[in-house]
Amino acid sequence: MYDKFPFFNKGKAIQNEPTAETGKIPQHVAIIMDGNGRWAQKRGLPRIAGHREAMKTIKRITYEAQHLGVKVLTLYAFSTENWKRPKSEVDFLMRLPEQFLHSYLAELIERNVQVRVMGDMSRIPENTMRAVRQAIDRTKSNSGLILNFALNYGGHAEIIHAVRTIARKVQEKRIAPESIDEQLLANNLLSPSLPDPDLLIRTGGEIRLSNFMLWQLAYTELYFTEVFWPDFKEEDLKSAVYEFSRRQRRYGGIKDKGSENK
Ligand code: IPE
Ligand code: IPE
Ligand code: MG
């Protein structure tokens, strides 16, 4: 069904391994971790079993990304639309960050990973917030991979947040409307210090963004795979990075003189 989409990988690993030396390792990889529910249903398990299994994938993929030389890994953990799910599933998902950090924070610290979150934290339960705050605090000086969780995150909500912040400054006459440019808007998004993602991976077979990083993905390379997130392995990440290393990014321009497409 997906054969006509060259960007759609069915989960077959590509053997050639890109290396940091090739200079084609994406600095920032963002992942829409989808397919947990279907992974569980396929096994006759409740959907939450898929979310539980997902934590192991997060750990493995974090370390593999770090190993490959990726600098920032952003993971879509809960969207502003996921509140529409049954309360029992939402409650489970809201407790997951705490469980994840309880299991793996010590290891993340040992591996020099820096934990961050982006999203609307106002609806996150207190216990979860406490665990998240502690993780951020205890890893803030780490200089290794930045592991950025998008939690109660929505691309529309993020842009609205930026626009409101800027509108307030205009109202207070601290900036002129004419000085609003792309850089200013980007600076008022939720993770202004991070570069835009170079590579977006979506697991689980859907070919859509589901309100993820709409501003930042403007020129990101997109990679879709049918593999459900709990089944996503180190080899699958390598395949995506390898595919990325073969892409030619033009940003609306044309290829360098001297290359085959001139
Ligand atoms: C992704 O898996 C996890 C979250 C959205 C939190 P899903 O729960 O969406 O799994 P599917 O897409 O129903 O299989
Ligand atoms: C996107 O997955 C959100 C996360 C992975 C957190 P969804 O499962 O919520 O997306 P839709 O509903 O299929 O678009
Ligand atoms: Mg889904």
Side-chain angles (χ1 to χ4, degrees), residues 33-51 54 85 89 228-230:
M33 309 182 287
D34 198 19
N36 298 349
R38 280 165 287 161
W39 179 91
Q41 275 160 351
K42 209 174 79 181
R43 287 166 174 74
L45 299 168
R47 291 177 55 84
I48 57 167
H51 299 315
R85 297 187 179 202
E89 185 172 342
F228 294 141
W229 177 250

Side-chain angles (χ1 to χ4, degrees), residues 8-9 45 100 140 179:
F8 202 99
N9 184 282
L45 299 168
F100 175 81
K140 63 174 188 271
S179 65

